[in-house]
Amino acid sequence: MRPSTTLGDTGLQISLGGLIVEQIARRRLTAFLVSAILLAISGCGGSGSAPETADTSTTAPPAEAASQSDVPELDPSDLDSPEGRIAEITRLRTLPDAVVEVRFEDGQKQPANERPPTEEEIAQEQVRRNERIIELASGVIQQVHAEEEKEQLFNNAVYYLGDARVNLALAGDVDQAQLLADDADALFERDPTSFSAVEAGAAVVELASQMASRYGMQNSDWVKAYSVQARLFAERFPQEQGRVAVNLISAGRKCEQFVLREEAKRCFLLVEQLYPESPFTEQISGVLRRLRVEGQPLELAGTTIDGGFFSADQFTGKPMLVVFWSSNSATFRRDLPQLQQLTDTYGSDQLTVVGVNLDLDEFQVDAFLEETGIGWRQIFFSEPDKRGGRSPVARYYGVHAVPEYWLVDSNGVVSSAPVEPAHLAPLVAQLLASE
């Protein structure tokens, strides 16, 4: 199985199917070889217009597929025509989950039994439906790919095909994950501006996104795959501003959550590069400011939890450690002994330490400070609407994940950001030695 396409500048080859093998036990399902069909028809048929920009990374069904006026009112059992196959796909997609069907040789369908189905039976039924949708959509593609006047049916079939492949891949079918990526490549080669190419590419991003959310904790390669696929979609379809930007921002934040900082940086900077004057770039202005904070004067001020006020420009003359944290961060709790050892070694006469707390509950912060003995100044706003992620400091620098540690030199210029806890002591020593 060859790796799925990735951006050349990363050097990262990630096989969606290979990752699923590691994550889920492989299920033997029928694989319909539509990729070969699509590759064979590259260049055939007319091109549809690209869909309108959507402000969501989740693939939405094409409006045409939901409109009954676009599908002639034919008997769904007439599965010899592309219209009938699309009608049958629509019927399968709108069936309630709890309806378990038995298909007889004569084409008639009846409930399997009167009792409510078990969860296992429902899961098996969903697999059967998606396999059937792939079969039907494949037939439509074979029938209409060369007929320009039926491009809408082609587009609908491609959308339904991709959605079914995503569902089966999420259920553990390795082949469907790879076929999904192959379909996207083939449709892009056929016509990179077409609706079908965009939808197929979006389906690959959707699969990577869902797998990153489900299994990123066990295997961070899925988070990398999401980042790579989001950037590949941006490279191929920059005209899809909404989809591209939302996917890149989502992937960037997911990467930051898993401390994949270089991957996150690529995503955020690509948004700015592609859409510099857009609301999306404005949305991540704080993140961009943080990514470029090294070498810049620290802009940090705010009320403290004890009722005072802290301003970084009043504490120049010695290095400063800025700690973004929250009391419910297990990582921060693990880092705390190293931080306390650092403050014990250098003391407040050589090193200023200030915390930027992102909790919502002041009592929870007080309890944590009392439990751990932390004595640093803590920026914490009394107004509830300025706490957590809405902290003015967090918003200004686009800090969404904690903990994060920054070092500032004696002139008030950020020297290192972010810093791993193990590197803090030698970097502080270097700053003091350079004074």
Side-chain angles (χ1 to χ4, degrees), residues 419-430:
V419 184
E420 293 297 325
H423 299 157
L424 284 171
L427 288 175
V428 170
Q430 289 178 20

Side-chain angles (χ1 to χ4, degrees), residues 300-305 310 354-357 377-381 393:
L300 178 63
T303 57
T304 56
I305 197 166
F310 178 88
V354 58
V356 180
N357 179 269
R377 297 173 181 84
Q378 299 294 338
I379 293 180
F380 184 87
F381 294 85
V393 176

Side-chain angles (χ1 to χ4, degrees), residues 55-219:
D55 294 338
T56 173
S57 60
T58 301
T59 303
E64 297 82 357
S67 172
Q68 294 299 316
S69 62
D70 293 316
V71 180
E73 293 184 2
L74 299 178
D75 184 343
S77 65
D78 179 15
L79 301 183
D80 292 334
S81 70
E83 293 84 0
R85 287 173 171 170
I86 290 293
E88 174 66 358
I89 291 173
T90 302
R91 189 192 70 81
L92 289 170
R93 287 169 57 89
T94 55
L95 278 176
D97 288 345
V99 173
V100 176
E101 295 185 327
V102 173
R103 178 178 294 279
F104 296 98
E105 290 184 2
D106 61 2
Q108 298 300 313
K109 309 169 197 67
Q110 299 177 4
N113 49 55
E114 297 300 327
R115 66 172 172 77
T118 64
E119 290 186 6
E120 182 179 358
E121 288 172 334
I122 291 175
Q124 291 172 347
E125 172 68 7
Q126 293 304 311
V127 168
R128 186 197 69 80
R129 289 184 198 175
N130 282 296
E131 288 180 329
R132 180 63 175 152
I133 287 170
I134 289 176
E135 180 183 4
L136 292 164
S138 302
V140 174
I141 290 170
Q142 286 179 302
Q143 288 176 301
V144 307
H145 67 81
E147 301 180 47
E148 185 172 353
E149 66 276 9
K150 293 188 176 181
E151 185 77 4
Q152 190 60 66
L153 287 170
F154 180 88
N155 290 338
N156 290 349
V158 167
Y159 170 77
Y160 291 137
L161 174 67
D163 188 60
R165 288 209 196 284
V166 169
N167 292 335
L168 289 177
L170 290 171
D173 188 318
V174 180
D175 294 332
Q176 296 301 333
Q178 189 58 56
L179 289 169
L180 184 72
D182 292 342
D183 291 349
D185 290 344
L187 287 162
F188 183 75
E189 292 174 11
R190 175 180 183 264
D191 183 352
T193 65
S194 68
F195 177 95
S196 56
V198 172
E199 291 303 317
V204 177
V205 179
E206 174 65 12
L207 174 60
S209 170
Q210 292 204 38
M211 294 302 286
S213 296
R214 292 187 184 193
Y215 304 114
M217 291 295 294
Q218 294 96 317
N219 186 350

Side-chain angles (χ1 to χ4, degrees), residues 29-57:
L29 300 173
T30 302
F32 298 92
L33 302 178
V34 172
S35 296
I37 299 170
L38 293 174
L39 285 169
I41 65 172
S42 295
C44 297
S47 62
S49 59
E52 293 181 1
T53 298
D55 294 338
T56 173
S57 60

